[in-house]
Amino acid sequence: MKYRIALFDLDDTLTESKQPVSDEMVTHFTNLLAVMPVAIVSGAKFEQQLNQFINHLPKDANFKNLYSFPQSAAQCLAFDGNSWVEQYTFAMTEVETTKIINALNSVLEETKILEGQPSYGERIENRGAQVTLSALGQEAPVDLKHAFDPDGAKRKDLKSRLDLLLPEYEVSIGGGTSIDITKKGINKTYSIKWLSEKLSVPISEMVYIGDALFAGGNDAVVIQTGIQTMETKGPKETMEIIDSLI
Ligand SMILES: [Mg+2]
C-alpha cells in the first residue's frame, strides 16, 4: 500500500451533495476501512455526516479506523467501541457567533447578492464551531445550487468583505453555495496535521481525496500541508480511487 492514511471530502466525493451514500460506495469504503485509518472531512455537522454516511456502514465495519472531522475540522470524533467520542472542538461562544452572523447579514445587505433569490430552509446556521451561510438555504435543490455561483465569483466577493470585518476568523468558500466561518487557522488542514500527530504517520504518507482541489475550490486549502492529493469527479470515480488505495 502506497499510503497509510486516507482522508476524504464528503459532498460530491463520497456521496452526491447532501445525499445518502450509495450501497456500492459503502462496500468499497468498508473494504478500505478494514486496512487503514480513514477520515471524513467536511463542512457538515457531525449529525449530518452520521445521517448521510456513517450510519449506513455495516455494524461490523472496522470503526476503530474511522475519524470524523465535521465543521471543516473544527471538531473531531472517533468511535471507542461503544460510542462516538469527541477528540477536540473549537466551539465558539455566543458572542463570537453573534458577531459572525451580524457580519454575514451586513455583507449580504451591502452586496444584494441574494436579492430576489429563493431560500429553501435556513440560510445562516450556527453549527457550534462553525457558522455557515448556505446562500439558497440548507434544503435547496442541487440544480439551483449549481447555477447560483458556478465560478465562485459571488462568494469571493463576500469572502473579501468578510475578511475585513472578521480578521480574527477563518472565512472559507465551501462546496455548492456555502461560506464557512471558523476560528482562525481552523480549516481542513487541521485534520491532516492532527491525524499525522495522533497516529505518528508523516503527512507524506497520507492522501486526501476531494472534488474541489482546483484553485479556489474548497479542498485546495489542504495542498499547503504537503499532503498528496487525488481529485475526483464524483462518487463513481472515488470508488475506483478507493480500490487503487487498497
Ligand atoms: Mg466536495
Side-chain angles (χ1 to χ4, degrees):
M1 268 176 282
K2 195 172 167 201
Y3 301 106
R4 291 168 60 195
I5 302 176
L7 298 94
F8 291 85
D9 168 53
L10 182 58
D11 282 332
D12 297 313
T13 295
L14 289 171
T15 71
E16 303 296 340
S17 186
K18 295 205 174 182
Q19 299 305 303
V21 62
S22 69
D23 292 346
E24 216 184 341
M25 176 61 84
V26 164
T27 305
H28 290 259
F29 191 89
T30 304
N31 290 341
L32 184 63
L33 218 42
V35 296
M36 71 173 75
V38 181
I40 302 171
V41 192
S42 81
K45 281 190 293 196
F46 179 59
E47 292 70 23
Q48 172 72 19
Q49 285 197 3
L50 279 179
N51 293 337
Q52 191 175 332
F53 195 90
I54 296 169
N55 284 346
H56 298 264
L57 296 172
K59 296 266 173 293
D60 60 351
N62 189 12
F63 284 102
K64 72 176 200 302
N65 263 348
L66 183 59
Y67 293 83
S68 163
F69 293 91
Q71 306 194 70
S72 308
Q75 191 187 20
C76 174
L77 294 100
F79 197 70
D80 73 353
N82 287 306
S83 57
W84 286 92
V85 179
E86 190 173 78
Q87 307 296 302
Y88 69 77
T89 178
F90 290 98
M92 295 189 281
T93 65
E94 210 182 308
V95 172
E96 290 180 284
T97 52
T98 303
K99 182 177 179 182
I100 293 169
I101 291 167
N102 288 344
L104 274 170
N105 282 323
S106 100
V107 297
L108 290 175
E109 201 158 301
E110 207 171 281
T111 58
K112 305 202 181 335
I113 276 173
L114 295 182
E115 211 167 62
Q117 297 279 358
S119 182
Y120 298 83
E122 262 189 306
R123 269 200 169 120
I124 296 176
E125 190 188 15
N126 178 0
R127 296 180 179 171
Q130 173 177 294
V131 175
T132 296
L133 167 74
S134 303
L136 303 180
Q138 299 282 327
E139 328 288 338
V142 173
D143 51 335
L144 283 188
K145 291 209 290 191
H146 282 319
F148 172 72
D149 190 22
D151 58 359
K154 287 183 178 135
R155 284 172 299 155
K156 273 180 210 153
D157 180 21
L158 291 176
K159 175 176 158 51
S160 64
R161 292 165 193 266
L162 288 165
D163 282 338
L164 292 175
L165 291 176
L166 302 169
E168 66 277 52
Y169 297 93
E170 190 82 28
V171 179
S172 312
I173 292 178
T177 64
S178 65
I179 285 188
D180 298 317
I181 304 172
T182 51
K183 287 196 169 166
K184 197 83 192 168
I186 304 305
N187 55 35
K188 288 188 173 197
T189 64
Y190 196 83
S191 62
I192 296 165
K193 294 172 200 159
W194 188 87
L195 267 183
S196 170
E197 241 169 70
K198 170 93 177 166
L199 302 178
S200 302
V201 172
I203 290 175
S204 58
E205 293 174 29
M206 298 162 63
V207 62
Y208 181 96
I209 298 100
D211 67 294
L213 284 155
F214 49 84
N218 72 325
D219 295 309
V221 69
V222 306
I223 295 168
Q224 64 186 255
T225 64
I227 195 169
Q228 309 215 41
T229 58
M230 292 183 178
E231 185 156 285
T232 175
K233 285 186 203 69
K236 207 166 167 234
E237 192 176 342
T238 304
M239 288 190 268
E240 290 167 21
I241 291 174
I242 289 175
D243 292 348
S244 78
L245 296 177
I246 294 174

